[in-house]
Amino acid sequence: MTFKLPDLPYAYDALQPYMSAETLQFHHDKHHLAYVDNGNKLIVGSGLEGQSLTKVVKGAWAKKNQGLINNVGQHYNHLHFWSWMKKGGGGNKLPGKLDKLVQGYGGFDKMRADFINAGTTQFGSGWAWLAIRDGKLEVAKTPNGENPLMHGAQPILGCDVWEHSYYIDYRNARPKYLEAWFDHLVNWDYVESMLS
Ligand code: MN3
């Protein structure tokens, strides 16, 4: 099997009250598993077998293989999404390298506001992102399973704004979910680790 569902790096109830155990059970055990299973089926005969996940993601985009774009894109996104969160995360104290990039962008408050706005204004399912393009931080949004790798940038933080990520806990209040997620769950050390 090419792709495997990773274990969550914490207990199902670790992110409460900002993300419930029920949300994580459905999101990880059912949604992410489906992307893994479909990705394993769709990679066969795609010409991308045996490559790193990053190369498969970029290759799927280059080949316009929509099934792989959706499912392997989502596998990549979710693999990192679990680690982009932690119990006791959030706050505005960033590790050094990341802090420099955020200052260059215009500061923490602007970055936070732009990120939450990107997630709020993504029409339908998708993701809000912090990414590095040509050495500079940018805020982006993508539909469905797409991510910045497919658009020439390196993702360092992504928030899932598909309804399955927040509807159990926040119903239709996507901006409330984005604010709680950003202020209380983001694992800034993991974000910094993606700069290398
Ligand atoms: Mn999801």
Side-chain angles (χ1 to χ4, degrees):
M1 255 205 279
T2 306
F3 307 114
K4 286 200 191 94
L5 184 69
D7 289 334
L8 284 180
Y10 32 70
Y12 287 111
D13 62 1
L15 305 183
Q16 296 186 147
Y18 307 108
M19 187 175 283
S20 65
E22 188 184 0
T23 289
L24 278 175
Q25 275 157 358
F26 275 92
H27 199 174
H28 175 271
D29 299 7
K30 302 205 184 288
H31 291 277
H32 191 174
L33 179 63
Y35 301 133
V36 167
D37 289 344
N38 287 328
N40 281 323
K41 283 179 202 146
L42 293 166
I43 191 125
V44 177
S46 67
L48 297 167
E49 297 98 322
Q51 300 190 19
S52 71
L53 178 56
T54 304
K55 283 195 171 156
V56 175
V57 167
K58 291 179 182 171
W61 183 258
K63 287 171 180 282
K64 299 188 169 63
N65 182 326
Q66 195 59 49
L68 279 181
I69 290 169
N70 293 342
N71 288 282
V72 183
Q74 284 290 69
H75 177 48
Y76 176 95
N77 297 347
H78 286 80
L79 202 62
H80 293 293
F81 184 62
W82 312 130
S83 291
W84 277 322
M85 302 185 285
K86 69 169 190 180
K87 185 185 181 68
N92 61 4
K93 292 230 161 30
L94 306 184
K97 253 161 67 181
L98 183 60
D99 190 52
K100 254 195 182 157
L101 286 159
V102 170
Q103 294 313 320
Y105 180 79
F108 183 89
D109 291 347
K110 174 174 166 53
M111 178 270 285
R112 177 186 179 278
D114 288 355
F115 185 92
I116 289 169
N117 185 56
T120 301
T121 57
Q122 169 55 41
F123 185 74
S125 297
W127 292 74
W129 299 100
L130 293 183
I132 303 296
R133 184 187 299 279
D134 302 327
K136 285 199 177 140
L137 186 72
E138 70 176 19
V139 173
K141 58 186 175 183
T142 57
N144 304 316
E146 287 177 29
N147 65 45
L149 285 177
M150 300 169 185
H151 300 284
Q154 168 63 40
I156 59 169
L157 177 67
C159 184
D160 189 340
V161 298
W162 285 56
E163 288 184 346
H164 66 224
S165 193
Y166 62 88
Y167 221 83
I168 290 170
D169 301 325
Y170 298 88
R171 297 301 168 189
N172 61 324
R174 190 191 286 187
K176 253 177 86 182
Y177 155 69
L178 278 155
E179 286 173 10
W181 189 88
F182 199 93
D183 293 339
H184 299 285
L185 295 180
V186 175
N187 181 348
W188 289 114
D189 291 324
Y190 189 74
V191 178
E192 165 112 344
S193 78
M194 292 199 71
L195 290 172
S196 51

